[in-house]
């Protein structure tokens, strides 16, 4: 029997109670109107049925939290109070302290139930003060009750909360208002990061070729026979010398290459939003009313 805190089981639980919140309500003894403590939370089973109120006994026992079975509580939203049925200060002292850090198992619940099963009020029904014995028969609600003089026993594997309606059943005697709930799907969207695009630049190299015309100078020595070859000349004209008689400078052109950067193109980066419709489905629950009239006439309006 796994139990959950009410908000963990249904985060929007207040919508089911017309905005009311049972957490924070004051807890009072029925009859004497003495304040016991405050409801700090609610424990529900796997089907969402209330099983316990977690009560902070700050007005009776400072710093102690205990479990109050829902059948021993009556909620009155008109005065924002929860009334306990048959809970005494002595029982509160005997109840095991509730610690969220400890495991809430069958043995712990049996310790809690054992305290509430102790007779404290003659006005309480027999099954409220006496543990149930499967051999004793059935009560008017169809639940087994204990026979006098017997020692009731419970089996860990077969115990259900329905075994003890006085602890876990509805406690209003005449006009009971039952609320039937159903689940509905609430569509919402959550924005999450699916990835990222990184844009960068890299430099690639290539070999470019260019043709440049260049000029080179060279000396051409040309020997020719003059027309007056063989004619005698004077001694002064014939100047016989050795060594350098002429100097000619030789030039040539070499290519001179340089690089120049220029704008080639622009790249513009932007985001666009694509819209799509995603369909999903989920199983929702709905409560329906089952009436066991035991062949008695029932009128539904």
């Amino acid at each position: 029997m796994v139990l959950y805190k009410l908000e963990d089981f249904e985060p929007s639980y207040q919508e089911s109670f017309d905005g009311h919140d049972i957490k924070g309500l004051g807890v009072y003894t029925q009859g004497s109107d003495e304040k016991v403590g405050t409801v700090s939370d609610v424990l529900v089973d796997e089907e969402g049925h209330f099983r316990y109120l977690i009560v902070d006994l700050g007005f009776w026992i400072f710093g102690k939290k205990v479990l109050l079975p829902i059948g021993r509580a009556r909620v009155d939203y008109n005065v924002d109070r929860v009334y306990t049925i048959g809970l005494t200060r002595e029982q509160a002292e005997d109840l095991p302290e509730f610690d969220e850090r400890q495991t809430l198992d069958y043995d712990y619940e049996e310790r809690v139930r054992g305290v509430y099963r102790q007779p404290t009020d003659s006005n309480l029904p027999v099954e409220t003060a006496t543990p149930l014995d499967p051999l004793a028969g059935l009560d008017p609600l169809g639940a087994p009750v204990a026979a006098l003089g017997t020692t009731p026993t419970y089996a860990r594997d077969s115990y259900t909360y329905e075994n003890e309606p006085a602890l876990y059943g509805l406690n209003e005697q005449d006009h009971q208002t039952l609320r039937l709930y159903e689940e509905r799907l609430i569509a919402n969207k959550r924005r999450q990061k699916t990835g990222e695009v990184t844009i960068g630049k890299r430099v690639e190299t290539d070999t470019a070729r260019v043709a440049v015309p260049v000029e080179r100078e060279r000396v051409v020595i040309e020997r020719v026979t003059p027309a007056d070859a063989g004619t005698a000349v004077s001694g002064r004209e014939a100047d016989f010398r050795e060594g350098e008689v002429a100097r000619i400078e030789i030039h040539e052109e070499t290519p001179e290459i340089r690089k120049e950067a220029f704008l080639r193109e622009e790249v513009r980066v932007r985001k666009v939003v694509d819209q799509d419709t995603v369909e999903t489905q989920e199983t929702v629950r709905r409560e329906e009313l089952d009436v066991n009239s035991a062949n008695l006439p029932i009128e539904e309006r």
Side-chain angles (χ1 to χ4, degrees):
M1 293 177 285
V2 181
L3 298 177
Y4 305 89
K5 285 190 175 181
L6 180 58
E7 189 170 5
D8 294 336
F9 183 84
E10 177 51 65
S12 58
Y13 69 92
Q14 293 187 38
E15 297 178 1
S16 302
F17 297 93
D18 299 328
H20 294 294
D21 194 348
I22 191 173
K23 293 192 292 186
L25 296 184
V27 181
Y28 294 79
T29 58
Q30 184 170 268
S32 64
D33 213 29
E34 178 184 5
K35 188 164 186 179
V36 174
T38 306
V39 177
S40 64
D41 218 319
V42 181
L43 297 180
V44 300
D45 62 16
E46 294 175 329
E47 296 181 354
H49 298 139
F50 281 26
R51 294 308 182 190
Y52 296 101
L53 301 182
I54 303 176
V55 180
D56 186 346
L57 298 177
F59 286 82
W60 266 2
I61 309 172
F62 179 75
K64 182 177 182 180
K65 291 183 180 180
V66 299
L67 297 184
L68 175 65
I70 194 63
R72 289 297 190 90
R74 181 173 64 85
V75 182
D76 189 346
Y77 284 114
N78 294 324
V79 293
D80 289 335
R81 286 186 176 186
V82 175
Y83 291 99
T84 66
I85 301 175
L87 178 65
T88 65
R89 184 184 181 93
E90 290 74 18
Q91 281 183 317
E93 292 175 348
D94 293 338
L95 284 170
E97 183 174 359
F98 175 76
D99 188 347
E100 297 181 3
R101 296 170 296 182
Q102 296 180 355
T103 302
L104 187 63
D105 55 11
Y106 173 83
D107 294 332
Y108 177 86
E109 290 189 73
E110 270 297 289
R111 292 171 57 198
V112 173
R113 287 189 285 262
V115 174
Y116 286 105
R117 289 168 186 152
Q118 299 172 10
T120 58
D121 191 339
S122 59
N123 294 327
L124 291 176
V126 174
E127 67 271 17
T128 300
T130 308
L132 305 180
D133 185 351
L135 302 178
L138 302 177
D139 67 3
L141 297 177
V145 297
L148 296 177
T150 61
T151 302
T153 58
Y154 296 97
R156 176 188 299 269
D157 298 330
S158 61
Y159 182 86
T160 64
Y161 294 113
E162 286 72 20
N163 291 146
E164 296 184 272
L167 292 183
Y168 301 106
L170 297 176
N171 52 59
E172 296 184 21
Q173 299 301 315
D174 298 322
H175 303 288
Q176 299 185 11
T177 300
L178 304 181
R179 295 182 177 182
L180 304 181
Y181 301 98
E182 66 176 342
E183 296 176 327
R184 61 183 179 182
L185 297 181
I186 305 299
N188 203 346
K189 295 186 294 185
R190 178 169 55 91
R191 188 179 182 90
Q192 62 182 8
K193 180 179 178 180
T194 58
E196 61 183 10
V197 177
T198 302
I199 300 174
K201 296 191 301 182
R202 71 177 186 276
V203 177
E204 293 185 353
T205 60
D206 198 1
T207 300
R209 299 180 183 277
V210 61
V212 180
V214 296
E215 294 181 350
R216 293 185 179 88
E217 296 179 341
R218 60 191 176 89
V219 176
V220 178
I221 300 176
E222 185 179 358
R223 296 173 181 268
V224 298
T225 301
D228 57 351
T231 304
V233 296
S234 63
R236 290 178 300 180
E237 187 177 355
D239 185 9
F240 291 95
R241 292 183 302 170
E242 292 185 358
E244 180 181 308
V245 294
R247 181 183 293 268
I248 300 175
E249 292 183 352
I250 306 298
H251 299 87
E252 70 173 10
E253 295 177 334
T254 58
E256 186 177 292
I257 306 299
R258 62 184 181 88
K259 293 184 290 185
E260 182 180 57
F262 65 95
L263 180 63
R264 182 168 61 93
E265 64 176 342
E266 289 183 344
V267 178
R268 297 177 181 176
V269 180
R270 59 189 177 93
K271 294 193 300 184
V272 296
V273 178
D274 295 328
Q275 294 187 346
D276 195 3
T277 300
V278 178
E279 293 186 359
T280 184
Q281 63 183 21
E282 185 59 72
T283 301
V284 295
R285 297 175 295 178
R286 181 177 66 252
E287 294 181 338
E288 296 290 348
L289 187 65
D290 290 333
V291 179
N292 185 4
S293 62
N295 298 322
L296 297 176
I298 299 294
E299 178 183 357
E300 294 190 11
R301 299 182 179 180

